[in-house]
Amino acid sequence: MIETLSYKYNSLSSLEKKQGKENLLLSKFNEVDKGSSPCFFWGKLNNPYELSRCLITLSNTVQSSFNLSPFQLALLKDPIVTAGNNQIRFEGFSHCAGVYARVDVLENGQDGEFIENGTTNVDFNTPLISELGKIKKNDNLILSVGQKEVGFHKEGESFIERKVPLPSKWIKGLTTVQHYFSESDYAQTLNRIQAIQLFKTIPSGKVKTDYYLIKRGNKYLFSPLKAFNAFCIGGIHRLKLLQPLIPLINELKVFPHKDMQSVTLILCFDELNFVFSVSRDFWRGFSGEGAALEALIEDLPDSLIQAFDNYSYTNQEFNPALMSFEEGIDISKIEKLSTKLSAMGLLGYDLAKNGFFYRRLPFKLERILSLNPRLKGAEKLLEENKVHITLKTDNEIEAKVEGSGVQHYVVVKGDLQKCTCTWFSKNQGERGACKHILAVKKKAKSN
Protein backbone atom coordinates (compact mmCIF):
# COMPACT_ATOMS: atom_id res chain seq x y z
CA MET A 1 0.00 0.00 0.00
CA ILE A 2 1.23 3.52 -0.75
CA GLU A 3 2.88 5.45 2.06
CA THR A 4 0.81 7.86 4.13
CA LEU A 5 1.04 11.49 3.03
CA SER A 6 1.84 14.11 5.69
CA TYR A 7 0.24 17.54 5.54
CA LYS A 8 1.01 20.88 7.14
CA TYR A 9 -2.06 22.95 6.42
CA ASN A 10 -2.86 24.35 9.85
CA SER A 11 -3.49 27.82 8.44
CA LEU A 12 -5.91 26.64 5.72
CA SER A 13 -9.66 26.20 5.89
CA SER A 14 -11.17 22.70 6.04
CA LEU A 15 -12.27 22.89 2.38
CA GLU A 16 -8.83 24.08 1.28
CA LYS A 17 -7.22 21.21 3.17
CA LYS A 18 -9.44 18.63 1.47
CA GLN A 19 -8.79 20.10 -1.96
CA GLY A 20 -5.07 20.20 -1.21
CA LYS A 21 -5.00 16.53 -0.27
CA GLU A 22 -6.87 15.57 -3.42
CA ASN A 23 -4.46 17.64 -5.51
CA LEU A 24 -1.50 15.89 -3.89
CA LEU A 25 -3.04 12.53 -4.73
CA LEU A 26 -3.67 13.72 -8.29
CA SER A 27 -0.04 14.68 -8.74
CA LYS A 28 1.21 11.49 -7.10
CA PHE A 29 -0.75 9.16 -9.38
CA ASN A 30 -1.04 11.34 -12.45
CA GLU A 31 1.42 9.28 -14.45
CA VAL A 32 1.34 5.50 -14.09
CA ASP A 33 2.71 3.21 -16.78
CA LYS A 34 0.12 0.46 -17.26
CA GLY A 35 2.26 -1.44 -19.73
CA SER A 36 1.36 -2.94 -23.08
CA SER A 37 2.47 -6.57 -22.90
CA PRO A 38 0.31 -8.91 -25.05
CA CYS A 39 0.63 -11.62 -22.35
CA PHE A 40 -0.68 -11.22 -18.81
CA PHE A 41 -0.04 -14.69 -17.33
CA TRP A 42 1.55 -18.01 -18.24
CA GLY A 43 1.81 -20.93 -15.86
CA LYS A 44 0.68 -24.23 -14.42
CA LEU A 45 -2.67 -24.69 -12.69
CA ASN A 46 -2.22 -26.67 -9.46
CA ASN A 47 -5.75 -28.10 -9.23
CA PRO A 48 -6.88 -28.67 -12.83
CA TYR A 49 -9.62 -31.19 -12.02
CA GLU A 50 -11.67 -29.00 -9.68
CA LEU A 51 -10.91 -25.89 -11.75
CA SER A 52 -12.13 -27.58 -14.94
CA ARG A 53 -15.39 -28.54 -13.22
CA CYS A 54 -15.83 -24.97 -11.99
CA LEU A 55 -15.19 -23.59 -15.47
CA ILE A 56 -17.73 -26.00 -16.95
CA THR A 57 -20.29 -24.81 -14.38
CA LEU A 58 -19.39 -21.21 -15.20
CA SER A 59 -19.92 -21.95 -18.90
CA ASN A 60 -23.24 -23.65 -18.12
CA THR A 61 -24.24 -20.52 -16.20
CA VAL A 62 -23.51 -18.14 -19.07
CA GLN A 63 -25.36 -20.46 -21.44
CA SER A 64 -28.42 -20.48 -19.18
CA SER A 65 -31.40 -18.17 -19.29
CA PHE A 66 -34.32 -17.89 -16.95
CA ASN A 67 -36.36 -15.32 -18.90
CA LEU A 68 -34.89 -14.78 -22.41
CA SER A 69 -35.84 -16.11 -25.83
CA PRO A 70 -33.50 -18.35 -27.92
CA PHE A 71 -32.81 -15.39 -30.23
CA GLN A 72 -31.66 -13.23 -27.31
CA LEU A 73 -29.46 -16.08 -26.07
CA ALA A 74 -27.39 -15.99 -29.25
CA LEU A 75 -26.44 -12.34 -28.68
CA LEU A 76 -24.46 -12.87 -25.47
CA LYS A 77 -20.98 -14.30 -24.94
CA ASP A 78 -18.75 -15.99 -22.37
CA PRO A 79 -16.30 -15.31 -19.52
CA ILE A 80 -14.30 -12.26 -18.55
CA VAL A 81 -10.78 -13.37 -17.55
CA THR A 82 -8.57 -11.26 -15.26
CA ALA A 83 -4.95 -11.88 -14.24
CA GLY A 84 -3.57 -9.70 -11.47
CA ASN A 85 -2.43 -9.52 -7.84
CA ASN A 86 -1.30 -13.18 -8.02
CA GLN A 87 -4.83 -14.37 -8.78
CA ILE A 88 -6.76 -15.40 -11.88
CA ARG A 89 -10.49 -14.77 -12.12
CA PHE A 90 -13.10 -16.02 -14.60
CA GLU A 91 -16.48 -14.28 -14.34
CA GLY A 92 -19.73 -14.10 -16.25
CA PHE A 93 -23.53 -13.84 -16.18
CA SER A 94 -26.39 -16.01 -17.23
CA HIS A 95 -27.91 -14.74 -20.47
CA CYS A 96 -30.72 -13.06 -18.55
CA ALA A 97 -28.10 -11.43 -16.25
CA GLY A 98 -29.94 -12.67 -13.16
CA VAL A 99 -27.15 -15.06 -12.13
CA TYR A 100 -23.52 -14.02 -11.65
CA ALA A 101 -20.71 -16.57 -11.37
CA ARG A 102 -16.97 -16.17 -10.81
CA VAL A 103 -14.10 -18.64 -10.45
CA ASP A 104 -11.23 -17.28 -8.35
CA VAL A 105 -7.95 -19.19 -8.73
CA LEU A 106 -6.17 -18.27 -5.50
CA GLU A 107 -2.47 -17.50 -5.14
CA ASN A 108 -1.61 -21.10 -4.21
CA GLY A 109 -3.77 -22.41 -7.07
CA GLN A 110 -1.25 -21.53 -9.79
CA ASP A 111 2.47 -21.72 -10.34
CA GLY A 112 3.32 -19.22 -13.06
CA GLU A 113 4.42 -15.73 -13.94
CA PHE A 114 2.25 -12.62 -13.90
CA ILE A 115 3.93 -10.63 -16.65
CA GLU A 116 1.36 -7.84 -16.43
CA ASN A 117 -2.05 -7.19 -14.90
CA GLY A 118 -4.88 -7.31 -17.42
CA THR A 119 -8.37 -8.42 -18.45
CA THR A 120 -9.89 -9.91 -21.58
CA ASN A 121 -13.27 -11.32 -22.60
CA VAL A 122 -13.41 -14.60 -24.53
CA ASP A 123 -15.96 -17.15 -25.77
CA PHE A 124 -15.65 -20.70 -24.37
CA ASN A 125 -16.58 -22.92 -27.32
CA THR A 126 -17.76 -26.54 -27.33
CA PRO A 127 -14.33 -28.15 -28.08
CA LEU A 128 -12.78 -26.45 -25.03
CA ILE A 129 -15.67 -27.40 -22.75
CA SER A 130 -15.43 -30.98 -24.00
CA GLU A 131 -11.68 -31.05 -23.29
CA LEU A 132 -12.14 -29.58 -19.82
CA GLY A 133 -14.58 -32.40 -19.08
CA LYS A 134 -11.78 -34.92 -19.76
CA ILE A 135 -9.34 -33.42 -17.24
CA LYS A 136 -8.27 -35.84 -14.50
CA LYS A 137 -6.86 -35.08 -11.06
CA ASN A 138 -3.24 -35.85 -11.97
CA ASP A 139 -3.21 -34.09 -15.35
CA ASN A 140 -0.94 -31.14 -16.05
CA LEU A 141 -2.75 -28.09 -17.36
CA ILE A 142 -1.09 -24.85 -18.47
CA LEU A 143 -3.02 -21.58 -18.74
CA SER A 144 -2.10 -18.52 -20.78
CA VAL A 145 -3.98 -15.22 -20.54
CA GLY A 146 -3.31 -12.37 -22.95
CA GLN A 147 -4.86 -9.23 -24.37
CA LYS A 148 -6.52 -11.02 -27.28
CA GLU A 149 -6.83 -14.66 -26.24
CA VAL A 150 -6.93 -17.25 -23.45
CA GLY A 151 -5.32 -20.63 -23.94
CA PHE A 152 -5.39 -24.01 -22.18
CA HIS A 153 -2.42 -26.28 -22.97
CA LYS A 154 -2.24 -30.00 -22.17
CA GLU A 155 0.19 -32.68 -23.41
CA GLY A 156 1.29 -30.69 -26.44
CA GLU A 157 -2.25 -29.78 -27.46
CA SER A 158 -3.59 -26.22 -27.17
CA PHE A 159 -7.12 -24.86 -27.08
CA ILE A 160 -7.19 -21.12 -27.80
CA GLU A 161 -10.24 -18.91 -27.28
CA ARG A 162 -10.15 -15.47 -28.94
CA LYS A 163 -11.30 -12.14 -27.56
CA VAL A 164 -14.94 -11.21 -28.22
CA PRO A 165 -16.96 -8.01 -27.53
CA LEU A 166 -18.23 -7.52 -23.99
CA PRO A 167 -22.06 -7.25 -23.91
CA SER A 168 -23.41 -3.94 -22.58
CA LYS A 169 -25.90 -5.93 -20.49
CA TRP A 170 -22.96 -7.49 -18.64
CA ILE A 171 -21.32 -4.11 -17.98
CA LYS A 172 -24.54 -2.82 -16.42
CA GLY A 173 -24.93 -6.02 -14.39
CA LEU A 174 -21.34 -5.87 -13.12
CA THR A 175 -22.04 -2.43 -11.65
CA THR A 176 -24.96 -3.72 -9.58
CA VAL A 177 -23.28 -6.98 -8.53
CA GLN A 178 -20.24 -5.23 -7.07
CA HIS A 179 -22.52 -2.77 -5.28
CA TYR A 180 -24.64 -5.57 -3.81
CA PHE A 181 -21.52 -7.48 -2.79
CA SER A 182 -20.22 -4.47 -0.87
CA GLU A 183 -23.57 -4.38 0.99
CA SER A 184 -23.62 -8.12 1.78
CA ASP A 185 -22.44 -9.70 5.01
CA TYR A 186 -21.23 -13.15 5.95
CA ALA A 187 -24.02 -15.23 7.52
CA GLN A 188 -23.00 -18.89 7.88
CA THR A 189 -20.72 -21.71 6.77
CA LEU A 190 -21.85 -25.23 5.84
CA ASN A 191 -19.51 -28.20 5.62
CA ARG A 192 -19.65 -30.55 2.63
CA ILE A 193 -22.19 -32.95 4.20
CA GLN A 194 -24.48 -30.12 5.26
CA ALA A 195 -24.26 -28.59 1.77
CA ILE A 196 -25.09 -31.91 0.08
CA GLN A 197 -28.10 -32.34 2.37
CA LEU A 198 -29.19 -28.76 1.68
CA PHE A 199 -29.12 -29.12 -2.09
CA LYS A 200 -31.22 -32.28 -1.89
CA THR A 201 -34.06 -30.06 -0.63
CA ILE A 202 -34.21 -27.95 -3.80
CA PRO A 203 -37.69 -28.61 -5.24
CA SER A 204 -38.00 -30.10 -8.71
CA GLY A 205 -39.23 -28.10 -11.68
CA LYS A 206 -39.52 -24.35 -12.02
CA VAL A 207 -40.56 -22.79 -8.72
CA LYS A 208 -42.41 -19.46 -8.79
CA THR A 209 -42.66 -18.89 -5.02
CA ASP A 210 -39.90 -17.71 -2.71
CA TYR A 211 -37.90 -20.23 -0.71
CA TYR A 212 -35.91 -19.67 2.47
CA LEU A 213 -32.62 -21.08 3.70
CA ILE A 214 -33.30 -22.21 7.28
CA LYS A 215 -31.52 -24.29 9.92
CA ARG A 216 -33.09 -27.04 12.00
CA GLY A 217 -30.75 -28.49 14.57
CA ASN A 218 -27.50 -29.19 12.74
CA LYS A 219 -29.13 -29.42 9.31
CA TYR A 220 -29.92 -26.78 6.70
CA LEU A 221 -32.77 -26.92 4.18
CA PHE A 222 -34.70 -24.83 1.69
CA SER A 223 -38.30 -24.27 2.75
CA PRO A 224 -41.27 -22.30 1.35
CA LEU A 225 -42.08 -21.36 4.96
CA LYS A 226 -40.38 -18.27 6.31
CA ALA A 227 -38.60 -18.62 9.66
CA PHE A 228 -36.62 -16.39 12.01
CA ASN A 229 -33.16 -15.49 10.62
CA ALA A 230 -34.00 -17.21 7.31
CA PHE A 231 -32.60 -15.90 4.01
CA CYS A 232 -34.97 -15.43 1.10
CA ILE A 233 -33.96 -16.92 -2.27
CA GLY A 234 -36.15 -16.12 -5.26
CA GLY A 235 -35.97 -18.44 -8.26
CA ILE A 236 -34.35 -21.19 -6.25
CA HIS A 237 -34.25 -23.53 -9.29
CA ARG A 238 -31.25 -21.46 -10.47
CA LEU A 239 -29.14 -23.08 -7.73
CA LYS A 240 -29.34 -26.40 -9.60
CA LEU A 241 -26.43 -25.15 -11.71
CA LEU A 242 -24.22 -25.77 -8.66
CA GLN A 243 -25.22 -29.38 -7.99
CA PRO A 244 -22.26 -30.99 -9.86
CA LEU A 245 -19.80 -29.02 -7.70
CA ILE A 246 -21.28 -29.56 -4.24
CA PRO A 247 -19.73 -33.05 -3.67
CA LEU A 248 -16.26 -31.59 -4.40
CA ILE A 249 -16.24 -28.61 -2.03
CA ASN A 250 -14.66 -28.19 1.40
CA GLU A 251 -17.31 -25.79 2.63
CA LEU A 252 -20.07 -23.44 1.51
CA LYS A 253 -20.33 -19.85 2.74
CA VAL A 254 -23.51 -17.75 2.53
CA PHE A 255 -23.63 -13.95 2.10
CA PRO A 256 -27.13 -12.38 1.95
CA HIS A 257 -27.60 -8.77 0.84
CA LYS A 258 -28.67 -6.45 3.66
CA ASP A 259 -32.06 -5.88 1.98
CA MET A 260 -32.30 -9.41 0.50
CA GLN A 261 -31.89 -8.08 -3.04
CA SER A 262 -29.47 -10.93 -3.74
CA VAL A 263 -27.93 -13.99 -2.10
CA THR A 264 -24.35 -15.03 -2.77
CA LEU A 265 -22.83 -18.47 -2.19
CA ILE A 266 -19.08 -19.08 -2.13
CA LEU A 267 -18.06 -22.69 -2.80
CA CYS A 268 -14.63 -23.15 -1.22
CA PHE A 269 -12.08 -25.64 -2.59
CA ASP A 270 -8.43 -26.14 -1.60
CA GLU A 271 -6.98 -23.63 -4.03
CA LEU A 272 -9.93 -21.82 -5.56
CA ASN A 273 -13.34 -20.33 -4.83
CA PHE A 274 -16.52 -20.42 -6.90
CA VAL A 275 -18.71 -17.35 -6.32
CA PHE A 276 -22.39 -17.66 -7.29
CA SER A 277 -24.93 -14.87 -6.82
CA VAL A 278 -28.64 -14.79 -7.73
CA SER A 279 -30.89 -11.74 -8.05
CA ARG A 280 -33.99 -11.30 -5.91
CA ASP A 281 -36.29 -12.98 -8.49
CA PHE A 282 -35.54 -15.16 -11.50
CA TRP A 283 -37.05 -12.61 -13.90
CA ARG A 284 -34.93 -9.75 -12.52
CA GLY A 285 -31.54 -9.25 -14.11
CA PHE A 286 -28.78 -7.47 -12.20
CA SER A 287 -28.41 -5.19 -15.23
CA GLY A 288 -31.77 -3.52 -14.58
CA GLU A 289 -31.61 -3.03 -10.81
CA GLY A 290 -30.08 0.47 -10.73
CA ALA A 291 -28.72 0.05 -7.21
CA ALA A 292 -25.71 2.29 -7.87
CA LEU A 293 -27.49 5.07 -9.76
CA GLU A 294 -27.60 7.56 -6.89
CA ALA A 295 -23.85 7.39 -6.42
CA LEU A 296 -23.42 8.29 -10.10
CA ILE A 297 -25.42 11.53 -10.07
CA GLU A 298 -22.60 13.52 -8.47
CA ASP A 299 -20.21 14.94 -11.04
CA LEU A 300 -16.59 14.11 -10.29
CA PRO A 301 -13.62 15.47 -12.25
CA ASP A 302 -12.10 13.07 -14.76
CA SER A 303 -8.65 13.89 -13.38
CA LEU A 304 -9.62 12.63 -9.92
CA ILE A 305 -11.17 9.47 -11.37
CA GLN A 306 -7.99 8.89 -13.39
CA ALA A 307 -5.84 9.29 -10.27
CA PHE A 308 -7.90 6.72 -8.37
CA ASP A 309 -7.80 4.42 -11.37
CA ASN A 310 -4.00 4.68 -11.37
CA TYR A 311 -3.94 4.11 -7.60
CA SER A 312 -6.05 0.96 -7.96
CA TYR A 313 -3.90 -0.34 -10.81
CA THR A 314 -0.72 0.23 -8.80
CA ASN A 315 -2.05 -1.61 -5.75
CA GLN A 316 -4.39 -4.06 -7.54
CA GLU A 317 -6.97 -3.46 -4.82
CA PHE A 318 -9.10 -0.62 -3.50
CA ASN A 319 -9.99 -0.26 0.18
CA PRO A 320 -12.09 2.93 0.63
CA ALA A 321 -11.79 3.04 4.44
CA LEU A 322 -8.03 2.46 4.44
CA MET A 323 -7.44 4.96 1.66
CA SER A 324 -9.57 7.56 3.44
CA PHE A 325 -7.45 7.10 6.57
CA GLU A 326 -4.09 7.07 4.79
CA GLU A 327 -4.77 9.96 2.40
CA GLY A 328 -7.00 12.05 4.67
CA ILE A 329 -9.82 12.34 2.11
CA ASP A 330 -13.49 12.23 3.11
CA ILE A 331 -14.74 8.62 3.12
CA SER A 332 -18.05 9.55 1.42
CA LYS A 333 -16.21 10.93 -1.62
CA ILE A 334 -14.03 7.82 -1.87
CA GLU A 335 -17.08 5.53 -1.60
CA LYS A 336 -18.75 7.43 -4.45
CA LEU A 337 -15.55 7.11 -6.45
CA SER A 338 -15.45 3.36 -5.84
CA THR A 339 -19.04 3.09 -7.12
CA LYS A 340 -18.16 5.11 -10.19
CA LEU A 341 -15.02 3.03 -10.83
CA SER A 342 -17.16 -0.11 -10.54
CA ALA A 343 -19.64 1.35 -13.02
CA MET A 344 -16.75 2.00 -15.39
CA GLY A 345 -15.72 -1.65 -15.15
CA LEU A 346 -12.56 -0.88 -13.20
CA LEU A 347 -13.34 -2.59 -9.89
CA GLY A 348 -14.77 -5.91 -8.80
CA TYR A 349 -15.63 -6.93 -5.23
CA ASP A 350 -14.19 -9.95 -3.43
CA LEU A 351 -16.51 -11.04 -0.62
CA ALA A 352 -13.96 -13.51 0.70
CA LYS A 353 -11.50 -10.64 1.26
CA ASN A 354 -14.17 -8.01 1.92
CA GLY A 355 -12.62 -5.55 -0.53
CA PHE A 356 -12.44 -4.35 -4.13
CA PHE A 357 -10.00 -5.77 -6.67
CA TYR A 358 -8.83 -4.08 -9.86
CA ARG A 359 -9.75 -5.27 -13.34
CA ARG A 360 -10.08 -3.00 -16.35
CA LEU A 361 -12.93 -3.81 -18.71
CA PRO A 362 -13.23 -2.29 -22.23
CA PHE A 363 -15.51 0.46 -21.02
CA LYS A 364 -15.33 4.27 -21.19
CA LEU A 365 -16.60 6.78 -18.65
CA GLU A 366 -18.84 8.58 -21.14
CA ARG A 367 -20.81 5.35 -21.68
CA ILE A 368 -22.13 5.28 -18.10
CA LEU A 369 -24.95 7.67 -18.96
CA SER A 370 -25.94 5.90 -22.20
CA LEU A 371 -26.12 2.51 -20.46
CA ASN A 372 -28.43 3.75 -17.69
CA PRO A 373 -31.78 5.03 -19.06
CA ARG A 374 -32.88 6.45 -15.69
CA LEU A 375 -29.70 8.52 -15.40
CA LYS A 376 -30.17 9.69 -18.97
CA GLY A 377 -33.80 10.55 -18.23
CA ALA A 378 -32.80 12.52 -15.13
CA GLU A 379 -30.26 14.53 -17.14
CA LYS A 380 -32.93 15.30 -19.76
CA LEU A 381 -35.37 16.53 -17.09
CA LEU A 382 -32.70 18.90 -15.78
CA GLU A 383 -31.75 20.12 -19.26
CA GLU A 384 -35.39 20.90 -20.02
CA ASN A 385 -35.78 22.69 -16.66
CA LYS A 386 -38.65 20.43 -15.58
CA VAL A 387 -37.47 20.08 -11.96
CA HIS A 388 -38.78 22.67 -9.49
CA ILE A 389 -37.65 22.44 -5.86
CA THR A 390 -40.32 23.86 -3.54
CA LEU A 391 -38.66 23.11 -0.19
CA LYS A 392 -35.06 22.48 0.78
CA THR A 393 -33.70 22.09 4.32
CA ASP A 394 -30.76 20.20 5.78
CA ASN A 395 -32.85 17.05 6.09
CA GLU A 396 -35.73 17.42 3.62
CA ILE A 397 -36.37 18.19 -0.05
CA GLU A 398 -39.73 18.60 -1.76
CA ALA A 399 -40.08 19.12 -5.50
CA LYS A 400 -42.41 19.09 -8.49
CA VAL A 401 -41.29 17.37 -11.69
CA GLU A 402 -43.08 17.90 -14.99
CA GLY A 403 -44.00 14.67 -16.77
CA SER A 404 -45.90 13.83 -19.96
CA GLY A 405 -49.24 15.45 -19.24
CA VAL A 406 -48.83 14.92 -15.51
CA GLN A 407 -46.92 16.47 -12.62
CA HIS A 408 -44.98 14.24 -10.24
CA TYR A 409 -44.27 15.08 -6.61
CA VAL A 410 -40.99 14.04 -5.00
CA VAL A 411 -40.15 14.02 -1.29
CA VAL A 412 -36.69 13.18 0.06
CA LYS A 413 -36.43 13.13 3.85
CA GLY A 414 -33.25 11.60 5.24
CA ASP A 415 -33.07 8.03 3.92
CA LEU A 416 -36.77 8.08 2.99
CA GLN A 417 -37.62 9.10 -0.57
CA LYS A 418 -40.92 8.96 -2.45
CA CYS A 419 -42.29 9.82 -5.88
CA THR A 420 -45.80 9.68 -7.33
CA CYS A 421 -44.62 8.10 -10.63
CA THR A 422 -45.56 4.60 -11.79
CA TRP A 423 -41.99 3.26 -11.45
CA PHE A 424 -41.81 4.16 -7.76
CA SER A 425 -45.33 2.88 -7.06
CA LYS A 426 -44.43 -0.47 -8.60
CA ASN A 427 -40.97 -0.97 -7.07
CA GLN A 428 -41.04 1.16 -3.90
CA GLY A 429 -37.34 1.96 -4.27
CA GLU A 430 -36.21 -1.67 -4.22
CA ARG A 431 -34.69 -1.42 -7.71
CA GLY A 432 -33.02 1.96 -7.30
CA ALA A 433 -34.40 5.49 -7.57
CA CYS A 434 -36.65 6.64 -10.41
CA LYS A 435 -35.45 9.32 -12.83
CA HIS A 436 -37.51 12.00 -11.01
CA ILE A 437 -35.83 11.37 -7.64
CA LEU A 438 -32.41 11.25 -9.31
CA ALA A 439 -33.05 14.58 -11.04
CA VAL A 440 -34.28 16.25 -7.84
CA LYS A 441 -31.31 15.04 -5.80
CA LYS A 442 -28.82 16.15 -8.45
CA LYS A 443 -30.42 19.60 -8.71
CA ALA A 444 -30.43 19.92 -4.93
CA LYS A 445 -26.70 19.14 -4.83
CA SER A 446 -25.94 21.81 -7.42
CA ASN A 447 -27.94 24.57 -5.69
Side-chain angles (χ1 to χ4, degrees):
M1 189 61 65
I2 61 176
E3 69 273 13
T4 305
L5 303 177
S6 60
Y7 307 99
K8 298 181 179 179
Y9 295 150
N10 296 330
S11 62
L12 300 178
S13 68
S14 175
L15 178 60
E16 288 173 324
K17 288 181 182 180
K18 289 180 180 179
Q19 290 175 337
K21 292 174 183 179
E22 291 170 11
N23 289 335
L24 280 174
L25 185 67
L26 282 173
S27 62
K28 186 171 185 180
F29 289 97
N30 188 39
E31 296 294 335
V32 173
D33 182 11
K34 297 185 179 178
S36 57
S37 173
C39 183
F40 303 142
F41 171 84
W42 177 279
K44 178 184 176 183
L45 298 169
N46 294 337
N47 195 339
Y49 178 77
E50 291 179 351
L51 174 61
S52 64
R53 271 54 190 173
C54 286
L55 290 178
I56 290 171
T57 301
L58 176 63
S59 182
N60 288 339
T61 299
V62 298
Q63 293 179 52
S64 299
S65 174
F66 299 93
N67 68 355
L68 293 187
S69 68
F71 172 75
Q72 291 171 309
L73 297 183
L75 301 179
L76 302 178
K77 296 293 182 180
D78 271 8
I80 302 160
V81 186
T82 299
N85 204 23
N86 295 317
Q87 288 192 214
I88 302 161
R89 304 177 192 270
F90 302 81
E91 58 186 322
F93 284 95
S94 61
H95 284 306
C96 54
V99 179
Y100 169 83
R102 190 178 76 231
V103 181
D104 291 342
V105 181
L106 307 179
E107 187 171 351
N108 61 349
Q110 49 76 26
D111 183 12
E113 181 181 3
F114 287 85
I115 302 166
E116 190 174 300
N117 304 310
T119 300
T120 189
N121 185 54
V122 298
D123 187 5
F124 278 13
N125 289 303
T126 302
L128 173 61
I129 298 301
S130 177
E131 192 62 28
L132 289 174
K134 300 175 185 177
I135 296 292
K136 300 180 177 61
K137 291 189 176 182
N138 296 325
D139 285 346
N140 289 322
L141 186 63
I142 303 295
L143 172 70
S144 61
V145 181
Q147 287 186 7
K148 297 183 178 181
E149 63 183 35
V150 172
F152 292 86
H153 315 273
K154 175 178 173 287
E155 297 177 352
E157 192 173 9
S158 295
F159 292 84
I160 307 296
E161 300 294 2
R162 308 295 179 183
K163 185 176 180 179
V164 295
L166 183 65
S168 296
K169 194 181 187 77
W170 282 28
I171 298 174
K172 291 172 64 179
L174 285 167
T175 302
T176 299
V177 165
Q178 315 316 318
H179 187 76
Y180 280 170
F181 280 0
S182 67
E183 294 185 337
S184 299
D185 292 314
Y186 165 78
Q188 53 198 202
T189 298
L190 286 67
N191 60 38
R192 181 188 301 154
I193 300 301
Q194 289 173 323
I196 291 173
Q197 292 172 337
L198 171 67
F199 271 71
K200 287 181 179 179
T201 66
I202 296 178
S204 59
K206 185 175 180 180
V207 182
K208 295 184 179 181
T209 58
D210 289 336
Y211 266 66
Y212 299 87
L213 173 55
I214 64 175
K215 184 178 182 181
R216 290 180 180 169
N218 196 39
K219 292 185 178 181
Y220 295 86
L221 70 151
F222 294 118
S223 171
L225 302 178
K226 187 176 181 180
F228 179 71
N229 286 337
F231 308 122
C232 180
I233 303 176
I236 194 171
H237 54 288
R238 296 177 290 178
L239 298 188
K240 293 178 182 179
L241 289 165
L242 296 176
Q243 286 179 324
L245 296 180
I246 296 300
L248 305 176
I249 66 172
N250 294 329
E251 58 186 19
L252 171 68
K253 295 182 179 180
V254 183
F255 295 79
H257 180 261
K258 65 182 181 69
D259 296 325
M260 295 297 173
Q261 295 305 302
S262 67
V263 173
T264 303
L265 308 179
I266 299 184
L267 282 62
C268 303
F269 301 83
D270 288 334
E271 298 162 334
L272 59 93
N273 290 332
F274 189 94
V275 182
F276 191 87
S277 187
V278 293
S279 60
R280 175 61 181 82
D281 297 291
F282 76 91
W283 47 266
R284 284 168 57 170
F286 285 111
S287 57
E289 293 301 278
L293 290 179
E294 291 192 47
L296 297 176
I297 62 175
E298 182 172 337
D299 292 325
L300 298 169
D302 289 350
S303 56
L304 187 59
I305 293 174
Q306 185 62 50
F308 276 75
D309 177 24
N310 291 341
Y311 168 92
S312 303
Y313 175 85
T314 301
N315 295 279
Q316 288 297 297
E317 59 184 19
F318 189 97
N319 187 318
L322 182 59
M323 188 173 187
S324 173
F325 174 77
E326 291 190 344
E327 303 302 337
I329 300 176
D330 189 278
I331 182 64
S332 63
K333 175 163 284 192
I334 295 180
E335 287 176 341
K336 289 171 184 174
L337 270 166
S338 65
T339 301
K340 203 151 194 173
L341 290 174
S342 297
M344 293 168 62
L346 297 173
L347 294 177
Y349 197 88
D350 191 333
L351 273 168
K353 293 184 175 181
N354 195 30
F356 290 96
F357 64 88
Y358 185 84
R359 55 108 166 81
R360 188 179 187 89
L361 299 179
F363 184 55
K364 296 179 180 179
L365 174 60
E366 54 265 28
R367 290 188 63 199
I368 294 178
L369 193 63
S370 65
L371 290 175
N372 290 281
R374 274 177 274 167
L375 268 182
K376 194 172 181 178
E379 291 290 346
K380 185 176 181 181
L381 288 171
L382 292 171
E383 290 172 4
E384 297 176 353
N385 197 30
K386 291 185 176 181
V387 180
H388 311 286
I389 294 179
T390 57
L391 172 68
K392 182 182 177 184
T393 66
D394 291 341
N395 191 50
E396 186 174 3
I397 304 168
E398 293 183 5
K400 298 177 182 178
V401 182
E402 298 175 32
S404 301
V406 66
Q407 186 164 253
H408 301 291
Y409 296 89
V410 173
V411 176
V412 178
K413 190 173 184 179
D415 294 331
L416 179 67
Q417 48 191 31
K418 293 183 178 181
C419 181
T420 57
C421 71
T422 304
W423 170 269
F424 185 86
S425 299
K426 180 180 179 180
N427 297 288
Q428 295 295 310
E430 284 191 355
R431 305 188 69 184
C434 65
K435 64 181 180 180
H436 310 103
I437 291 175
L438 291 173
V440 169
K441 296 184 80 169
K442 182 162 187 176
K443 183 167 185 176
K445 287 177 180 290
S446 62
N447 289 345

